[in-house]
Amino acid sequence: MNRPVRLATAVLTASTALLLTACGGSDAGSDDNSKIAGTDTGADSSASASPSASVSGSAVRPTIKLPSDVKDTFTPEETGDAVKDAILRDNMELVRALDAAIVAQNPRLPALEFYTEGQGAVAAQQWVQGFKDAGWTVTGTTRYFDRTVKVKSETGAAIGYCADESQAFSKVIKTGEVKRTKVTKDSYVAYSAQVTKNKRGVWELVKITSTRGAAGCQP
């Protein structure tokens, strides 16, 4: 997906480097990592036992509605492990909340703040602000796949996943012009996210990095 020029080279930083990429284009520093950092898909991954703590918690999740021309799909949606499934659900809603914030042109959208904390919140807000400053929104379908979770503790986990942005584009709000781009290796992005479980049972994003054009996400 094409992006505002200013965003194409932006690196969002707090105490460590953060980068939320979306909507195509080449990112500085991207490489062809075949594995997504922060996850373990090998035989040793079973060594991290899922915690026995409450999966759902007490929080009531916000209802997120996207316009008909904005769609996200997620594979897998479930793993059969209750804790991992809860983490994947909150990650899915985080992604949808980010799109909703861009559509609403509101970096402080309550639904986005609900799923982010600390450095993760800073990165998400700055990303949405970039679209707002450019007068752009999003349109099309983004496919999220190869979603894996490594549970590190009762309140900490890592999520790795790929994004196929070949059918997702940026759109100029004032004119309705859709910024269509050719499908290249950079249409595929690898994400690595760190999440923590808050007192209400919500798995919040606290850190995220990405690699555009990663070999492990290519079709």
Side-chain angles (χ1 to χ4, degrees):
M1 188 191 306
N2 198 3
R3 297 173 295 164
V5 174
R6 186 174 69 81
L7 293 180
T9 57
V11 177
L12 310 181
T13 58
S15 61
T16 59
L18 301 174
L19 178 62
L20 270 172
T21 64
C23 311
S26 177
D27 292 318
S30 66
D31 55 38
D32 288 335
N33 294 332
S34 60
K35 290 186 178 181
I36 302 174
T39 64
D40 185 354
T41 56
D44 292 337
S45 61
S46 60
S48 298
S50 297
S52 59
S54 170
V55 174
S56 60
S58 59
V60 176
R61 269 67 174 173
T63 299
I64 300 171
K65 294 183 178 181
L66 295 173
S68 60
D69 67 323
V70 179
K71 184 177 181 181
D72 298 313
T73 66
F74 301 87
T75 307
E77 292 188 9
E78 296 182 347
T79 66
D81 179 283
V83 175
K84 289 183 179 180
D85 290 350
I87 294 169
L88 287 178
R89 282 194 297 271
D90 280 348
N91 171 257
M92 177 176 67
E93 291 305 297
L94 161 70
V95 171
R96 296 181 70 250
L98 185 61
D99 279 349
I102 293 173
V103 170
Q105 299 283 281
N106 182 4
R108 301 300 299 271
L109 189 75
L112 183 58
E113 294 186 335
F114 185 90
Y115 289 107
T116 59
E117 182 63 39
Q119 297 172 15
V122 171
Q125 290 169 12
Q126 289 184 358
W127 182 251
V128 176
Q129 185 64 49
F131 275 87
K132 181 179 180 179
D133 291 346
W136 288 22
T137 185
V138 290
T139 188
T141 299
T142 304
R143 180 174 64 94
Y144 297 91
F145 61 100
D146 288 351
R147 303 170 74 217
T148 60
V149 178
K150 181 177 181 180
V151 180
K152 297 182 176 181
S153 68
E154 289 192 354
T155 58
I159 310 173
Y161 54 97
C162 295
D164 171 5
E165 298 179 348
S166 61
Q167 300 301 313
F169 310 97
S170 293
K171 181 171 69 173
V172 180
I173 294 175
K174 184 177 292 186
T175 65
E177 177 191 0
V178 175
K179 299 290 186 176
R180 297 186 180 276
T181 55
K182 294 182 179 179
V183 178
T184 69
K185 68 180 182 66
D186 288 335
S187 300
Y188 301 88
V189 188
Y191 287 95
S192 177
Q194 301 291 326
V195 296
T196 59
K197 185 179 180 181
N198 64 22
K199 293 180 179 179
R200 296 182 297 167
V202 180
W203 290 92
E204 298 176 308
L205 174 73
V206 292
K207 291 182 182 180
I208 188 166
T209 60
S210 68
T211 302
R212 185 167 293 280
C217 293
Q218 300 299 314

Tab-separated table of all heavy atoms in Angstrom, residues 106-153:
chain	number	residue	atom	x	y	z
A	106	ASN	N	-8.170	9.863	14.155
A	106	ASN	CA	-8.107	10.119	15.592
A	106	ASN	C	-7.030	9.257	16.234
A	106	ASN	O	-7.270	8.086	16.556
A	106	ASN	CB	-9.461	9.837	16.237
A	106	ASN	CG	-9.468	10.145	17.729
A	106	ASN	OD1	-8.479	10.650	18.280
A	106	ASN	ND2	-10.577	9.853	18.387
A	107	PRO	N	-5.816	9.813	16.456
A	107	PRO	CA	-4.743	9.032	17.076
A	107	PRO	C	-5.066	8.582	18.500
A	107	PRO	O	-4.441	7.644	19.001
A	107	PRO	CB	-3.553	10.007	17.071
A	107	PRO	CG	-3.891	11.029	16.037
A	107	PRO	CD	-5.379	11.161	16.082
A	108	ARG	N	-6.004	9.250	19.146
A	108	ARG	CA	-6.370	8.896	20.519
A	108	ARG	C	-7.729	8.193	20.560
A	108	ARG	O	-8.446	8.301	21.557
A	108	ARG	CB	-6.392	10.158	21.391
A	108	ARG	CG	-5.075	10.921	21.458
A	108	ARG	CD	-3.942	10.069	22.034
A	108	ARG	NE	-4.211	9.637	23.384
A	108	ARG	CZ	-3.877	10.336	24.494
A	108	ARG	NH1	-3.268	11.501	24.358
A	108	ARG	NH2	-4.136	9.864	25.683
A	109	LEU	N	-8.066	7.483	19.517
A	109	LEU	CA	-9.309	6.737	19.500
A	109	LEU	C	-9.349	5.804	20.717
A	109	LEU	O	-8.402	5.050	20.949
A	109	LEU	CB	-9.411	5.919	18.215
A	109	LEU	CG	-10.764	5.241	17.956
A	109	LEU	CD1	-11.782	6.285	17.502
A	109	LEU	CD2	-10.617	4.153	16.896
A	110	PRO	N	-10.421	5.858	21.513
A	110	PRO	CA	-10.478	5.035	22.728
A	110	PRO	C	-10.222	3.556	22.482
A	110	PRO	O	-9.553	2.895	23.297
A	110	PRO	CB	-11.903	5.281	23.243
A	110	PRO	CG	-12.214	6.666	22.772
A	110	PRO	CD	-11.572	6.780	21.421
A	111	ALA	N	-10.716	3.013	21.382
A	111	ALA	CA	-10.498	1.592	21.098
A	111	ALA	C	-9.020	1.294	20.894
A	111	ALA	O	-8.532	0.224	21.288
A	111	ALA	CB	-11.295	1.177	19.864
A	112	LEU	N	-8.279	2.216	20.279
A	112	LEU	CA	-6.845	2.017	20.072
A	112	LEU	C	-6.105	2.119	21.401
A	112	LEU	O	-5.205	1.315	21.685
A	112	LEU	CB	-6.307	3.053	19.085
A	112	LEU	CG	-4.830	2.922	18.705
A	112	LEU	CD1	-4.536	1.555	18.101
A	112	LEU	CD2	-4.428	4.032	17.736
A	113	GLU	N	-6.474	3.069	22.223
A	113	GLU	CA	-5.844	3.208	23.535
A	113	GLU	C	-6.139	2.005	24.426
A	113	GLU	O	-5.340	1.646	25.290
A	113	GLU	CB	-6.312	4.504	24.201
A	113	GLU	CG	-5.833	5.756	23.472
A	113	GLU	CD	-6.169	7.033	24.222
A	113	GLU	OE1	-7.140	7.010	25.001
A	113	GLU	OE2	-5.444	8.026	24.029
A	114	PHE	N	-7.272	1.371	24.214
A	114	PHE	CA	-7.669	0.210	24.997
A	114	PHE	C	-6.679	-0.940	24.824
A	114	PHE	O	-6.415	-1.695	25.769
A	114	PHE	CB	-9.073	-0.239	24.568
A	114	PHE	CG	-9.649	-1.360	25.377
A	114	PHE	CD1	-10.400	-1.108	26.516
A	114	PHE	CD2	-9.454	-2.681	24.992
A	114	PHE	CE1	-10.941	-2.146	27.263
A	114	PHE	CE2	-9.993	-3.728	25.735
A	114	PHE	CZ	-10.735	-3.460	26.875
A	115	TYR	N	-6.109	-1.066	23.617
A	115	TYR	CA	-5.241	-2.201	23.302
A	115	TYR	C	-3.763	-1.857	23.261
A	115	TYR	O	-2.945	-2.697	22.846
A	115	TYR	CB	-5.653	-2.806	21.960
A	115	TYR	CG	-6.971	-3.532	22.008
A	115	TYR	CD1	-8.118	-2.988	21.428
A	115	TYR	CD2	-7.090	-4.767	22.649
A	115	TYR	CE1	-9.335	-3.652	21.476
A	115	TYR	CE2	-8.302	-5.433	22.707
A	115	TYR	CZ	-9.425	-4.874	22.118
A	115	TYR	OH	-10.637	-5.527	22.175
A	116	THR	N	-3.368	-0.665	23.672
A	116	THR	CA	-1.967	-0.268	23.629
A	116	THR	C	-1.530	0.334	24.958
A	116	THR	O	-2.334	0.857	25.721
A	116	THR	CB	-1.710	0.756	22.509
A	116	THR	OG1	-2.528	1.921	22.728
A	116	THR	CG2	-2.015	0.167	21.144
A	117	GLU	N	-0.222	0.277	25.192
A	117	GLU	CA	0.335	0.827	26.422
A	117	GLU	C	1.790	1.194	26.166
A	117	GLU	O	2.478	0.551	25.371
A	117	GLU	CB	0.245	-0.200	27.559
A	117	GLU	CG	0.744	0.282	28.913
A	117	GLU	CD	-0.056	1.448	29.462
A	117	GLU	OE1	-1.290	1.449	29.306
A	117	GLU	OE2	0.552	2.373	30.032
A	118	GLY	N	2.267	2.243	26.833
A	118	GLY	CA	3.677	2.600	26.779
A	118	GLY	C	4.179	2.864	25.372
A	118	GLY	O	3.583	3.616	24.599
A	119	GLN	N	5.298	2.229	25.019
A	119	GLN	CA	5.906	2.432	23.717
A	119	GLN	C	4.976	2.017	22.573
A	119	GLN	O	4.964	2.630	21.503
A	119	GLN	CB	7.210	1.642	23.634
A	119	GLN	CG	8.259	2.090	24.641
A	119	GLN	CD	9.458	1.160	24.659
A	119	GLN	OE1	9.632	0.350	23.747
A	119	GLN	NE2	10.277	1.255	25.682
A	120	GLY	N	4.185	0.982	22.817
A	120	GLY	CA	3.230	0.548	21.803
A	120	GLY	C	2.191	1.614	21.514
A	120	GLY	O	1.799	1.832	20.359
A	121	ALA	N	1.740	2.302	22.553
A	121	ALA	CA	0.755	3.371	22.378
A	121	ALA	C	1.364	4.549	21.624
A	121	ALA	O	0.721	5.132	20.737
A	121	ALA	CB	0.237	3.829	23.740
A	122	VAL	N	2.603	4.883	21.957
A	122	VAL	CA	3.287	5.984	21.273
A	122	VAL	C	3.414	5.689	19.776
A	122	VAL	O	3.116	6.533	18.928
A	122	VAL	CB	4.682	6.231	21.888
A	122	VAL	CG1	5.479	7.223	21.038
A	122	VAL	CG2	4.556	6.744	23.317
A	123	ALA	N	3.853	4.469	19.449
A	123	ALA	CA	4.029	4.094	18.047
A	123	ALA	C	2.710	4.144	17.287
A	123	ALA	O	2.633	4.682	16.177
A	123	ALA	CB	4.636	2.691	17.950
A	124	ALA	N	1.664	3.597	17.890
A	124	ALA	CA	0.359	3.563	17.230
A	124	ALA	C	-0.180	4.971	17.002
A	124	ALA	O	-0.687	5.294	15.924
A	124	ALA	CB	-0.620	2.746	18.067
A	125	GLN	N	-0.073	5.832	18.005
A	125	GLN	CA	-0.581	7.195	17.882
A	125	GLN	C	0.174	7.978	16.825
A	125	GLN	O	-0.433	8.718	16.031
A	125	GLN	CB	-0.490	7.896	19.237
A	125	GLN	CG	-1.464	7.355	20.273
A	125	GLN	CD	-1.168	7.866	21.666
A	125	GLN	OE1	-0.372	8.798	21.854
A	125	GLN	NE2	-1.776	7.261	22.674
A	126	GLN	N	1.494	7.825	16.778
A	126	GLN	CA	2.288	8.554	15.797
A	126	GLN	C	1.974	8.074	14.383
A	126	GLN	O	1.962	8.871	13.437
A	126	GLN	CB	3.777	8.396	16.100
A	126	GLN	CG	4.220	9.137	17.344
A	126	GLN	CD	5.717	9.054	17.565
A	126	GLN	OE1	6.439	8.411	16.795
A	126	GLN	NE2	6.204	9.684	18.610
A	127	TRP	N	1.729	6.777	14.243
A	127	TRP	CA	1.404	6.255	12.923
A	127	TRP	C	0.090	6.837	12.412
A	127	TRP	O	-0.010	7.289	11.277
A	127	TRP	CB	1.333	4.736	12.975
A	127	TRP	CG	1.045	4.121	11.649
A	127	TRP	CD1	-0.103	3.510	11.262
A	127	TRP	CD2	1.914	4.096	10.522
A	127	TRP	NE1	-0.004	3.097	9.960
A	127	TRP	CE2	1.218	3.447	9.480
A	127	TRP	CE3	3.201	4.557	10.295
A	127	TRP	CZ2	1.782	3.245	8.220
A	127	TRP	CZ3	3.760	4.360	9.030
A	127	TRP	CH2	3.059	3.718	8.027
A	128	VAL	N	-0.929	6.841	13.275
A	128	VAL	CA	-2.230	7.393	12.884
A	128	VAL	C	-2.108	8.885	12.609
A	128	VAL	O	-2.703	9.407	11.654
A	128	VAL	CB	-3.280	7.127	13.974
A	128	VAL	CG1	-4.616	7.789	13.618
A	128	VAL	CG2	-3.477	5.625	14.175
A	129	GLN	N	-1.333	9.596	13.410
A	129	GLN	CA	-1.153	11.030	13.222
A	129	GLN	C	-0.536	11.324	11.855
A	129	GLN	O	-0.872	12.321	11.211
A	129	GLN	CB	-0.256	11.597	14.324
A	129	GLN	CG	-0.102	13.123	14.284
A	129	GLN	CD	-1.417	13.834	14.543
A	129	GLN	OE1	-2.120	13.509	15.504
A	129	GLN	NE2	-1.745	14.825	13.715
A	130	GLY	N	0.367	10.443	11.399
A	130	GLY	CA	0.974	10.633	10.088
A	130	GLY	C	-0.056	10.596	8.964
A	130	GLY	O	-0.005	11.401	8.041
A	131	PHE	N	-0.996	9.654	9.054
A	131	PHE	CA	-2.067	9.605	8.065
A	131	PHE	C	-2.951	10.848	8.161
A	131	PHE	O	-3.360	11.411	7.147
A	131	PHE	CB	-2.918	8.340	8.275
A	131	PHE	CG	-2.365	7.124	7.594
A	131	PHE	CD1	-1.425	6.326	8.225
A	131	PHE	CD2	-2.773	6.774	6.316
A	131	PHE	CE1	-0.908	5.204	7.604
A	131	PHE	CE2	-2.269	5.653	5.689
A	131	PHE	CZ	-1.327	4.860	6.325
A	132	LYS	N	-3.234	11.267	9.381
A	132	LYS	CA	-4.070	12.448	9.580
A	132	LYS	C	-3.410	13.685	8.981
A	132	LYS	O	-4.061	14.487	8.292
A	132	LYS	CB	-4.346	12.655	11.065
A	132	LYS	CG	-5.242	13.851	11.367
A	132	LYS	CD	-5.501	13.980	12.860
A	132	LYS	CE	-6.392	15.185	13.158
A	132	LYS	NZ	-6.672	15.310	14.613
A	133	ASP	N	-2.128	13.858	9.244
A	133	ASP	CA	-1.402	15.019	8.730
A	133	ASP	C	-1.393	15.030	7.201
A	133	ASP	O	-1.433	16.092	6.574
A	133	ASP	CB	0.031	15.023	9.248
A	133	ASP	CG	0.121	15.301	10.744
A	133	ASP	OD1	-0.892	15.750	11.318
A	133	ASP	OD2	1.191	15.033	11.329
A	134	ALA	N	-1.339	13.843	6.597
A	134	ALA	CA	-1.304	13.752	5.134
A	134	ALA	C	-2.687	13.840	4.514
A	134	ALA	O	-2.811	14.033	3.300
A	134	ALA	CB	-0.644	12.431	4.721
A	135	GLY	N	-3.726	13.700	5.328
A	135	GLY	CA	-5.079	13.711	4.796
A	135	GLY	C	-5.431	12.421	4.079
A	135	GLY	O	-6.236	12.410	3.154
A	136	TRP	N	-4.827	11.321	4.523
A	136	TRP	CA	-5.032	10.021	3.899
A	136	TRP	C	-5.739	9.071	4.848
A	136	TRP	O	-5.640	9.201	6.077
A	136	TRP	CB	-3.696	9.400	3.502
A	136	TRP	CG	-3.032	10.050	2.327
A	136	TRP	CD1	-3.239	11.323	1.859
A	136	TRP	CD2	-2.025	9.480	1.498
A	136	TRP	NE1	-2.432	11.574	0.782
A	136	TRP	CE2	-1.669	10.461	0.533
A	136	TRP	CE3	-1.384	8.253	1.478
A	136	TRP	CZ2	-0.705	10.230	-0.440
A	136	TRP	CZ3	-0.419	8.016	0.504
A	136	TRP	CH2	-0.085	8.997	-0.449
A	137	THR	N	-6.435	8.084	4.277
A	137	THR	CA	-7.031	7.001	5.047
A	137	THR	C	-6.637	5.683	4.376
A	137	THR	O	-5.710	5.659	3.550
A	137	THR	CB	-8.561	7.157	5.145
A	137	THR	OG1	-9.091	6.132	6.000
A	137	THR	CG2	-9.230	7.078	3.779
A	138	VAL	N	-7.297	4.587	4.737
A	138	VAL	CA	-6.970	3.284	4.166
A	138	VAL	C	-8.193	2.678	3.487
A	138	VAL	O	-9.333	3.008	3.823
A	138	VAL	CB	-6.438	2.313	5.243
A	138	VAL	CG1	-5.071	2.739	5.724
A	138	VAL	CG2	-7.418	2.202	6.408
A	139	THR	N	-7.943	1.792	2.528
A	139	THR	CA	-9.015	1.086	1.846
A	139	THR	C	-8.472	-0.257	1.368
A	139	THR	O	-7.257	-0.441	1.247
A	139	THR	CB	-9.559	1.899	0.656
A	139	THR	OG1	-10.726	1.251	0.123
A	139	THR	CG2	-8.532	2.046	-0.448
A	140	GLY	N	-9.368	-1.215	1.129
A	140	GLY	CA	-8.945	-2.515	0.636
A	140	GLY	C	-8.854	-3.565	1.733
A	140	GLY	O	-9.307	-3.358	2.861
A	141	THR	N	-8.232	-4.698	1.396
A	141	THR	CA	-8.153	-5.851	2.293
A	141	THR	C	-6.707	-6.170	2.636
A	141	THR	O	-5.855	-6.270	1.740
A	141	THR	CB	-8.789	-7.095	1.641
A	141	THR	OG1	-10.171	-6.830	1.381
A	141	THR	CG2	-8.674	-8.307	2.550
A	142	THR	N	-6.438	-6.331	3.917
A	142	THR	CA	-5.128	-6.788	4.383
A	142	THR	C	-5.291	-8.169	4.995
A	142	THR	O	-6.160	-8.380	5.843
A	142	THR	CB	-4.532	-5.834	5.425
A	142	THR	OG1	-4.467	-4.513	4.890
A	142	THR	CG2	-3.128	-6.274	5.825
A	143	ARG	N	-4.461	-9.088	4.562
A	143	ARG	CA	-4.535	-10.464	5.049
A	143	ARG	C	-3.388	-10.714	6.026
A	143	ARG	O	-2.218	-10.591	5.672
A	143	ARG	CB	-4.440	-11.436	3.872
A	143	ARG	CG	-4.517	-12.911	4.250
A	143	ARG	CD	-4.561	-13.779	3.004
A	143	ARG	NE	-3.334	-13.671	2.218
A	143	ARG	CZ	-2.297	-14.511	2.339
A	143	ARG	NH1	-2.337	-15.501	3.222
A	143	ARG	NH2	-1.231	-14.358	1.564
A	144	TYR	N	-3.723	-11.056	7.267
A	144	TYR	CA	-2.734	-11.372	8.292
A	144	TYR	C	-2.676	-12.890	8.450
A	144	TYR	O	-3.706	-13.531	8.669
A	144	TYR	CB	-3.095	-10.699	9.611
A	144	TYR	CG	-3.080	-9.189	9.512
A	144	TYR	CD1	-4.231	-8.478	9.180
A	144	TYR	CD2	-1.909	-8.475	9.711
A	144	TYR	CE1	-4.216	-7.097	9.057
A	144	TYR	CE2	-1.878	-7.092	9.588
A	144	TYR	CZ	-3.035	-6.410	9.266
A	144	TYR	OH	-3.012	-5.039	9.142
A	145	PHE	N	-1.482	-13.462	8.346
A	145	PHE	CA	-1.371	-14.923	8.332
A	145	PHE	C	-0.112	-15.377	9.070
A	145	PHE	O	0.712	-14.564	9.492
A	145	PHE	CB	-1.382	-15.436	6.893
A	145	PHE	CG	-0.241	-14.926	6.032
A	145	PHE	CD1	0.872	-15.715	5.784
A	145	PHE	CD2	-0.303	-13.659	5.451
A	145	PHE	CE1	1.918	-15.257	4.993
A	145	PHE	CE2	0.733	-13.192	4.650
A	145	PHE	CZ	1.850	-13.995	4.424
A	146	ASP	N	-0.007	-16.701	9.234
A	146	ASP	CA	1.110	-17.301	9.977
A	146	ASP	C	1.245	-16.674	11.364
A	146	ASP	O	2.360	-16.371	11.823
A	146	ASP	CB	2.429	-17.161	9.203
A	146	ASP	CG	2.498	-18.066	7.989
A	146	ASP	OD1	1.611	-18.921	7.843
A	146	ASP	OD2	3.441	-17.914	7.183
A	147	ARG	N	0.140	-16.515	12.040
A	147	ARG	CA	0.134	-15.893	13.369
A	147	ARG	C	0.544	-16.922	14.424
A	147	ARG	O	-0.072	-17.973	14.559
A	147	ARG	CB	-1.252	-15.333	13.682
A	147	ARG	CG	-1.734	-14.322	12.646
A	147	ARG	CD	-3.200	-13.984	12.853
A	147	ARG	NE	-3.412	-13.122	13.991
A	147	ARG	CZ	-4.453	-13.216	14.815
A	147	ARG	NH1	-5.363	-14.164	14.636
A	147	ARG	NH2	-4.577	-12.386	15.817
A	148	THR	N	1.592	-16.629	15.158
A	148	THR	CA	2.096	-17.529	16.190
A	148	THR	C	2.274	-16.772	17.496
A	148	THR	O	2.544	-15.566	17.509
A	148	THR	CB	3.436	-18.160	15.778
A	148	THR	OG1	4.403	-17.113	15.557
A	148	THR	CG2	3.293	-18.977	14.506
A	149	VAL	N	2.149	-17.492	18.589
A	149	VAL	CA	2.270	-16.898	19.919
A	149	VAL	C	3.255	-17.702	20.755
A	149	VAL	O	3.214	-18.938	20.759
A	149	VAL	CB	0.912	-16.865	20.650
A	149	VAL	CG1	1.076	-16.279	22.055
A	149	VAL	CG2	-0.110	-16.070	19.862
A	150	LYS	N	4.130	-17.017	21.463
A	150	LYS	CA	4.983	-17.643	22.462
A	150	LYS	C	4.657	-17.004	23.802
A	150	LYS	O	4.903	-15.817	24.020
A	150	LYS	CB	6.461	-17.439	22.134
A	150	LYS	CG	7.387	-18.106	23.160
A	150	LYS	CD	8.843	-17.964	22.776
A	150	LYS	CE	9.747	-18.653	23.796
A	150	LYS	NZ	11.181	-18.520	23.433
A	151	VAL	N	4.065	-17.787	24.710
A	151	VAL	CA	3.710	-17.290	26.035
A	151	VAL	C	4.939	-17.381	26.928
A	151	VAL	O	5.522	-18.449	27.091
A	151	VAL	CB	2.550	-18.115	26.637
A	151	VAL	CG1	2.195	-17.584	28.022
A	151	VAL	CG2	1.333	-18.077	25.722
A	152	LYS	N	5.340	-16.243	27.474
A	152	LYS	CA	6.554	-16.186	28.281
A	152	LYS	C	6.276	-16.248	29.774
A	152	LYS	O	7.102	-16.715	30.548
A	152	LYS	CB	7.326	-14.906	27.944
A	152	LYS	CG	7.796	-14.850	26.489
A	152	LYS	CD	8.593	-13.589	26.219
A	152	LYS	CE	9.140	-13.587	24.796
A	152	LYS	NZ	9.937	-12.359	24.528
A	153	SER	N	5.126	-15.737	30.186
A	153	SER	CA	4.759	-15.734	31.598
A	153	SER	C	3.256	-15.553	31.700
A	153	SER	O	2.570	-15.502	30.667
A	153	SER	CB	5.474	-14.593	32.339
A	153	SER	OG	4.969	-13.325	31.909
